[in-house]
C-alpha cells in the first residue's frame, strides 16, 4: 500500500499511510488528510493507487480544484 510523506523545511518528516486505495487531501472535514492552510482548497487533490497485475501500485495524483 502507498504512503504520503510530507516534508517541511525545519520540521520532522511525517508519514501518512493510505488506509485504502485512495486518499483525499484538503481543508474540508470530509477529507482523509486535512490541511488547514488558506492556500489549500476545501477538496484540493486525490491520490490513488493504480493497480496493474504483476506490478507494484503506481501513485496517481488528481487535482480536484484546477483554479488554484
Amino acid at each position: 500500500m502507498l504512503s504520503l510523506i510530507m516534508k517541511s523545511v525545519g520540521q520532522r518528516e511525517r508519514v501518512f499511510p493510505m488506509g485504502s486505495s485512495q486518499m483525499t487531501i484538503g481543508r474540508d472535514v470530509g477529507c482523509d488528510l486535512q490541511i488547514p492552510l488558506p492556500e489549500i482548497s476545501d477538496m484540493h487533490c486525490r491520490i490513488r493507487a493504480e493497480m496493474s497485475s504483476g506490478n507494484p501500485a503506481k501513485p496517481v495524483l488528481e487535482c480536484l480544484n484546477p483554479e488554484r
Side-chain angles (χ1 to χ4, degrees):
M1 194 54 65
L2 297 175
S3 294
L4 174 67
I5 301 171
M6 185 185 331
K7 297 180 181 182
S8 298
V9 176
Q11 295 198 8
R12 188 174 57 97
E13 178 178 290
R14 296 172 63 187
V15 178
F16 300 92
M18 291 177 58
S20 66
S21 62
Q22 71 175 11
M23 173 190 284
T24 54
I25 300 170
R27 289 190 324 236
D28 191 85
V29 295
C31 291
D32 299 307
L33 177 58
Q34 295 175 23
I35 302 176
L37 298 173
E39 57 269 19
I40 302 295
S41 306
D42 289 340
M43 293 291 284
H44 199 77
C45 65
R46 176 182 298 123
I47 300 173
R48 62 183 171 82
E50 188 173 90
M51 306 301 227
S52 176
S53 62
N55 296 316
K58 179 173 77 171
V60 176
L61 179 66
E62 176 187 358
C63 179
L64 299 176
N65 190 351
E67 284 106 39
R68 285 203 163 204

